[in-house]
């Protein structure tokens, strides 16, 4: 008797049919477009006339395009900066929000606000706040110098990272809050009996117990970072020059501003491959794929 | 999770574009039923377009249906429908490179036939404007809406306080910049984050130093034009102005489109701004008092020894109506286009602050929103031997981003003259 089909408790395992709606949806809206884009990447298409096959032209073009290489670098840089800055802040906030302090609910609600705003609105607001002549930098020269934040590569990347933290930390804090709430209280009680203080409890109980949550949150951050688009579109338009032209924005420029959909499709494919490799790497290196489900019987 | 996410994000848009472009199964019920569709950029000016369509429909058997597409989506929408049964019969555009891909795809009707039947379709428009919708020697558009030459605006009070008058020559401008800087004022406001305002400085300086020929040669497919002595001279003059601190140090963090650079001028923190003629209404919206009493304007200064005529202007010559080849009612389209030089059209445009480019415009200038300003612009455009369409609109769309990147990088020092020339030479002209 194999294990398949039945478990010890006599409960039937869910059949594949349950996954059919999702599978069809996935096929229609992910796999089919992906294949179409793969085909388009070997064509020259302006969106008006019929696509014309041009072999590897788009790909060799990209390989010799310094902006493409730079855009992959900028995308990775922004992704790494996002993970490095958002993770510690959201763990601290999330663990804090999982407790029962006074005013916690009110403050948590306030922290959550940035997530409710659209990225477009957020970007417009930060643009105004960071205006060198009429925004905060004009009042705080000691901190911002001449205030040319979005006019230099370092400044623009700093602003994009900061806006990312401001906007997405609430989401990840929420995930960590859930994770922290799921840690059995007996662990803390036992630790307290043994004389461990808050800090020790945090490093020896909370953090190890949050391991799965960290990976979930990081995969989300990596995917979000690799597909960064709206804030770049509104805050920097890829500038100054091409300094913040991330791959997703470069794809948009090629396809929708330059009407070169073939080259745009090739960039899209590069993004798909890079994102797949990175998230596979995150899952492998973290040992996430070897973890067992904690739901009983599955 | 991640491949799906990326795939969806990165390709839904592409797929949507394709689905629209390929869905030729749609019904085109309007074909034989006596209507033509006119697609326009959706904004405040639609008021006039609606009025003209009403006038036309009163007497015409074939009725015009006006489709207004929100401005931000206009280009994408046009691009996706133009080769489908849903394509409009007549559509709004910017002339030059903006219609070139359509001409290449053989979608547009050359207007020679219309003009042969009614020479007024050409003769009633200012030639410098009419010519910017001529592609490969054939006219493809009739001017509509208003012209938008680029002017040098200034804050009168700031200039008076610094004891200077609007500059007539480039050397005066450079001297003024130094005087203003010494007084702690940013000499020239620039919305560098938008990139296209920076481009305006290149357009004028190249025209003044080399004349309109250099750009026409380059656009015609001769990249060597960019490498000549005149080109280098123009770049050197620009560099000199940037290095003198005329634009301050933060221009690449400032936008025109969100009101950043106009506010600098209105509040007296900067003296000059080079901008299209819509600047007047921009200031009128945001700072009405300043627009009424404090805002001055002149043409771009002359450059000593330059080959270009000091009366040349650059900017958006106008918008145009082009006609699709496959329209079922060309005669109705022709009749509709004739309204673009009618008295009614001119009066309606002037009343909302636009400056039409017809020869009869002069008769109605007194009815304009600001007669003095309209007259100044009209005389400027009428007298201009050359009206250079903005580079980013004269070139095909694929060149827009590379041009913008190059001008921004030249200003912030990432590209030197050689780098800029190389970038311009790499642009595709077809």
């Amino acid at each position: 008797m194999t294990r398949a089909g039945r478990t010890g408790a006599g409960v039937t395992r869910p059949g594949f049919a349950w996954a059919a709606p999702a599978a069809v949806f996935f096929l229609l809206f992910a796999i089919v477009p992906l294949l179409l884009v793969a085909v388009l990447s070997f064509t020259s298409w302006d969106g008006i006339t019929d696509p014309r096959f041009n072999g590897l032209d788009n790909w060799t073009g990209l390989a010799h395009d310094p902006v493409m290489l730079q855009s992959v670098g900028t995308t990775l840089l922004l992704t790494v900066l996002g993970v490095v800055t958002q993770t510690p802040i959201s763990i601290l906030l999330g663990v804090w929000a999982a407790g029962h302090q006074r005013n916690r609910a009110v403050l948590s609600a306030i922290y959550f606000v940035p997530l409710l705003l659209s990225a477009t609105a957020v970007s417009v607001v930060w643009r105004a706040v960071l205006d060198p002549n009429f925004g905060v930098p004009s009042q705080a020269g000691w901190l911002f110098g001449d205030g040319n934040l979005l006019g230099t590569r370092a400044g623009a990347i700093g602003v994009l990272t900061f806006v990312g933290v401001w906007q997405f930390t609430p989401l990840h804090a929420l995930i960590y809050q859930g994770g922290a709430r799921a840690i059995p209280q007996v662990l803390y009680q036992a630790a307290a009996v043994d004389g461990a203080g808050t800090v020790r409890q945090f490093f020896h109980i909370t953090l190890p117990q949050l391991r799965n949550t960290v990976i979930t949150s990081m995969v989300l951050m990596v995917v979000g970072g690799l597909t960064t688009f709206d804030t770049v579109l509104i805050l920097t338009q890829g500038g100054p020059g091409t300094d913040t032209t991330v791959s997703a924005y470069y794809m948009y420029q090629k396809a929708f501003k330059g009407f070169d959909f073939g080259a745009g499709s090739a960039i899209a494919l590069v993004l798909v491959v890079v994102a797949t490799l990175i998230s596979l790497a995150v899952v492998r290196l973290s040992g996430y794929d070897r973890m067992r489900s904690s739901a009983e019987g599955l | 999770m991640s491949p799906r996410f990326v795939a969806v994000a990165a390709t839904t848009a592409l797929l949507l574009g394709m689905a629209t472009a390929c869905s030729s199964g749609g019904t085109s019920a309007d074909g034989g039923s006596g209507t033509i569709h006119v697609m326009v950029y959706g904004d405040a000016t639609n008021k006039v377009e609606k009025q003209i369509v009403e006038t036309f429909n009163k007497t015409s058997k074939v009725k015009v249906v006006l489709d207004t597409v929100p401005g931000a989506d206009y280009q994408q929408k046009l691009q996706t429908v133009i080769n489908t049964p849903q394509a409009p019969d007549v559509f709004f555009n910017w002339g030059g490179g903006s219609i070139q891909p359509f001409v290449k795809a053989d979608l547009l009707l050359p207007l020679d036939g219309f003009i042969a039947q009614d020479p007024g379709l050409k003769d009633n428009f200012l030639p410098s404007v009419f010519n910017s919708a001529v592609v490969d020697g054939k006219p493809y558009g009739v001017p509509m809406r208003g012209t938008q030459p680029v002017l040098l605006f200034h804050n009168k009070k700031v200039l008076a306080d610094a004891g200077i008058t609007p500059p007539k020559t480039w050397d005066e401008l450079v001297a003024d910049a130094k005087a203003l800087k010494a007084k702690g004022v940013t000499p020239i406001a620039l919305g560098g984050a938008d990139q296209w305002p920076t481009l305006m400085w290149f357009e004028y300086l190249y025209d003044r130093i080399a004349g309109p020929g250099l750009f026409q040669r380059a656009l015609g497919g001769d990249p060597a034009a960019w490498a000549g002595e005149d080109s280098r001279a123009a770049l050197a003059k620009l560099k000199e102005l940037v290095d003198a601190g005329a634009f301050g140090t933060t221009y690449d963090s400032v936008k025109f489109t969100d009101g950043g650079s106009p506010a600098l001028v209105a509040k007296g923190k900067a003296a000059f701004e080079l901008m299209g003629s819509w600047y007047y209404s921009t200031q009128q919206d945001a700072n009405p008092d300043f627009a009424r009493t404090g805002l001055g304007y002149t043409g771009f200064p002359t450059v000593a020894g330059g080959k270009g005529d000091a009366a040349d202007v650059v900017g958006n010559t106008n918008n145009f109506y082009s006609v699709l080849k496959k329209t079922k009612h060309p005669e109705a389209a022709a009749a509709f286009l004739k309204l673009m030089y009618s008295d009614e059209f001119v009066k309606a445009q002037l009343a909302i602050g636009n400056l039409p480019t017809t020869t009869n415009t002069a008769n109605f200038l007194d009815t304009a929103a600001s007669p003095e300003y309209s007259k100044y612009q009209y005389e400027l455009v009428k007298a201009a031997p050359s009206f250079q369409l903005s580079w980013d609109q004269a070139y095909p769309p694929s060149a827009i981003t590379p041009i913008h990147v190059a001008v921004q990088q030249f200003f912030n020092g990432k590209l030197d003259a050689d780098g800029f020339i190389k970038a311009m030479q790499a642009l595709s002209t077809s």
Side-chain angles (χ1 to χ4, degrees), chain B residues 253-329:
Chain B
S253 295
V254 178
K255 276 192 167 194
F256 171 81
T257 44
D258 65 4
S261 56
L264 282 174
V265 176
K267 295 194 177 7
K269 287 190 170 196
F272 296 102
E273 181 160 15
L274 188 65
M275 189 45 67
S277 58
W278 59 83
Y279 195 66
Y280 192 89
S281 54
T282 304
Q283 290 289 13
Q284 205 167 30
D285 270 356
N287 312 285
D289 289 338
F290 171 69
R292 201 167 48 245
T293 57
L295 179 63
Y297 47 87
T298 54
F300 196 81
T302 60
V303 177
K307 295 172 190 151
D309 195 310
D312 284 354
V313 288
V314 309
N316 298 334
T317 56
N318 205 338
N319 296 117
F320 298 86
Y321 271 143
S322 293
V323 181
L324 263 83
K325 204 165 225 172
K326 63 178 180 189
T327 179
K328 293 214 169 74
H329 301 285

Side-chain angles (χ1 to χ4, degrees), chain A residues 26 33 36-37 45-49 127 133 146 148-151 223 234 237 240-241 243 253 257 259 275 279, chain B residues 2 4 6 11 14-15 18 79 83 102 105 107 193 249-250 252-255 264 267 269 397-398 401 408 414:
Chain A
F26 183 67
L36 283 176
V37 165
W45 188 41
D46 56 9
I48 314 169
T49 46
R127 239 213 113 86
N133 300 298
D146 64 358
N148 193 23
L149 287 176
L150 293 167
V223 171
I234 293 168
Q237 283 157 322
D243 287 346
Q253 275 187 332
K257 279 179 94 178
F259 296 123
S279 35
Chain B
S2 108
R4 172 176 52 192
V6 177
T11 61
L14 286 167
L15 179 75
M18 240 180 86
Q79 188 89 5
N83 200 13
F102 307 145
L107 295 171
T249 56
T250 62
D252 271 346
S253 295
V254 178
K255 276 192 167 194
L264 282 174
K267 295 194 177 7
K269 287 190 170 196
S398 62
T401 301
Q408 188 172 32
K414 265 210 157 168

Side-chain angles (χ1 to χ4, degrees), chain A residues 17-245:
Chain A
W18 291 99
V24 168
F25 195 80
F26 183 67
L27 197 74
L28 207 62
F29 291 101
I31 304 298
V32 171
L34 193 59
L35 291 178
L36 283 176
V37 165
V39 173
L40 271 185
S41 75
F42 297 100
T43 67
S44 151
W45 188 41
D46 56 9
I48 314 169
T49 46
D50 294 332
R52 189 172 45 78
F53 279 95
N54 64 352
L56 289 171
D57 282 8
N58 294 328
W59 292 97
T60 48
L62 277 194
H64 294 106
D65 183 354
V67 181
M68 180 63 208
L69 197 65
Q70 192 197 6
S71 82
V72 172
T74 309
T75 309
L76 294 179
L77 175 65
L78 274 173
T79 305
V80 169
L81 283 173
V83 171
V84 169
T85 52
Q86 290 171 31
T87 302
I89 302 177
S90 44
I91 289 181
L92 288 175
L93 260 179
V95 169
W96 174 82
H100 299 281
Q101 308 84 340
R102 219 196 308 174
N103 299 332
R104 180 199 57 80
V106 177
L107 284 173
S108 295
I110 294 173
Y111 293 148
F112 200 66
V113 167
L115 193 66
L116 302 177
L117 306 173
S118 83
T120 321
V122 167
S123 307
V124 170
V125 167
W126 280 111
R127 239 213 113 86
V129 172
L130 296 174
D131 185 288
N133 300 298
F134 304 103
V136 173
S138 65
Q139 304 299 319
W142 54 273
L143 182 60
F144 294 102
D146 64 358
N148 193 23
L149 287 176
L150 293 167
T152 62
R153 177 174 164 86
I157 286 180
V159 169
L160 287 173
T161 303
F162 169 78
V163 172
V165 170
W166 186 81
Q167 196 188 6
F168 292 114
T169 297
L171 170 70
H172 296 284
L174 194 71
I175 296 172
Y176 284 116
Q177 184 189 12
R181 286 247 168 102
I183 301 171
Q185 283 299 312
V186 284
L187 293 180
Y188 294 104
Q189 286 154 6
V193 170
D194 287 345
T198 320
V199 176
R200 254 191 111 153
Q201 288 183 10
F202 176 78
F203 281 106
H204 288 92
I205 300 173
T206 313
L207 267 191
Q209 291 283 324
L210 281 177
R211 195 168 168 220
N212 291 2
T213 318
V214 171
I215 290 156
T216 309
S217 156
M218 267 177 60
V219 170
L220 281 177
M221 284 176 189
V222 166
V223 171
L226 292 175
T227 52
T228 302
F229 174 74
D230 31 21
T231 44
V232 171
L233 175 71
I234 293 168
L235 276 170
T236 67
Q237 283 157 322
T242 54
D243 287 346
T244 58
T245 303

Side-chain angles (χ1 to χ4, degrees), chain B residues 343-418:
Chain B
D343 290 355
E344 182 194 357
F345 172 84
V346 172
K347 277 194 259 183
Q349 291 287 358
L350 282 169
I352 61 164
N354 280 353
L355 184 66
T357 50
T358 55
T359 46
N360 59 343
T361 299
N363 307 338
F364 304 104
L365 283 174
D366 288 328
T367 65
S370 167
E372 193 193 339
Y373 182 63
S374 292
K375 271 178 199 161
Y376 173 79
Q377 270 186 77
Y378 185 77
E379 291 306 324
L380 192 78
V381 173
K382 198 177 142 199
S386 153
F387 192 149
Q388 173 58 55
L389 181 62
S390 305
W391 289 1
D392 52 353
Q393 286 171 26
Y395 266 97
S398 62
I400 295 176
T401 301
I403 292 177
H404 285 174
V405 167
V407 299
Q408 188 172 32
Q409 290 188 330
F410 183 75
F411 260 49
N412 71 20
K414 265 210 157 168
L415 282 184
D416 57 9
D418 288 328

